[in-house]
Amino acid sequence: MPALHLWSPDDRALGSLGALALGAAAGTCLVVDLAPDPAAEPRGPTVATIVADGPTAAQLQPARSGVAYLPGGDATAGEAAELLDALAVGWPALVVHAPGRDVPPGFRTVPVLPLVPPGLRTAVDGPAVYQPTAWRSPERPDGVVLARPLPGELGRLARMQRPVWGRWVRSWRRVWSYPWR
């Protein structure tokens, strides 16, 4: 079962939407968002409530195909380690969006960065996913360069409206087969 940790230090929106796109590119996937969002009011369970109450059998595997989203509440990756391991066993694909690099063992980290001149973005060791911007970059970065999203594609993805499949989401499929560390 593929389990990836998505980390976007320079662009919170790119990290959040990227996690959903990576999940949609997998087909059936659970996206766990551990990035704190004080304005969010979850409508269902969160990682924090599941850790406190224990998971149900239904939460440990998909009920249908598609992307499911689980907000973190106020749980950290360390507090959620056992739950994330259990989810990784039951789901065909798992994406954990977390603000730092403190992800439990077994999760490969995928840095996601805007494609801007190197001095203007966080330096990473090894490959990354790059989102082209208005900047022209002569560099051929190590990793995956995404397509530019079509009009409306990001809004549909953020609202989880079907169809979420567009050229930007399709460009995320390469991330699943890339040899991340």
Side-chain angles (χ1 to χ4, degrees):
M1 193 305 302
L4 295 175
H5 162 235
L6 194 127
W7 173 60
S8 184
D10 297 339
D11 189 328
R12 182 182 173 114
L14 180 58
S16 296
L17 289 170
L20 293 172
L22 185 57
T28 298
C29 182
L30 175 62
V31 175
V32 176
D33 197 345
L34 295 176
D37 186 355
E41 294 183 28
R43 296 189 180 115
T46 65
V47 172
T49 59
I50 294 172
V51 166
D53 300 341
T56 65
Q59 291 168 328
L60 295 175
Q61 60 190 12
R64 58 183 173 80
S65 64
V67 178
Y69 177 80
L70 182 62
D74 59 358
T76 65
E79 295 166 341
E82 284 184 43
L83 174 62
L84 294 175
D85 287 341
L87 292 168
V89 170
W91 283 81
L94 178 65
V95 174
V96 176
H97 174 229
R101 294 181 183 227
D102 60 334
V103 161
F107 286 78
R108 295 169 290 151
T109 297
V110 178
V112 181
L113 304 167
L115 187 53
V116 296
L120 299 177
R121 67 175 182 249
T122 299
V124 295
D125 294 329
V129 171
Y130 293 93
Q131 177 61 55
T133 64
W135 290 81
R136 287 269 192 222
S137 179
E139 131 188 63
R140 290 292 309 152
D142 181 17
V144 175
V145 177
L146 300 170
R148 293 184 188 272
L150 294 171
E153 189 174 2
L154 298 180
R156 282 192 313 275
L157 184 64
R159 292 184 301 275
M160 295 303 291
Q161 288 179 325
R162 296 195 185 266
V164 294
W165 201 248
R167 87 173 163 198
W168 191 65
V169 170
R170 281 193 308 273
S171 70
W172 281 91
R173 285 196 334 203
R174 295 176 302 184
V175 173
W176 285 109
S177 60
Y178 203 86
W180 303 104
R181 298 177 189 179

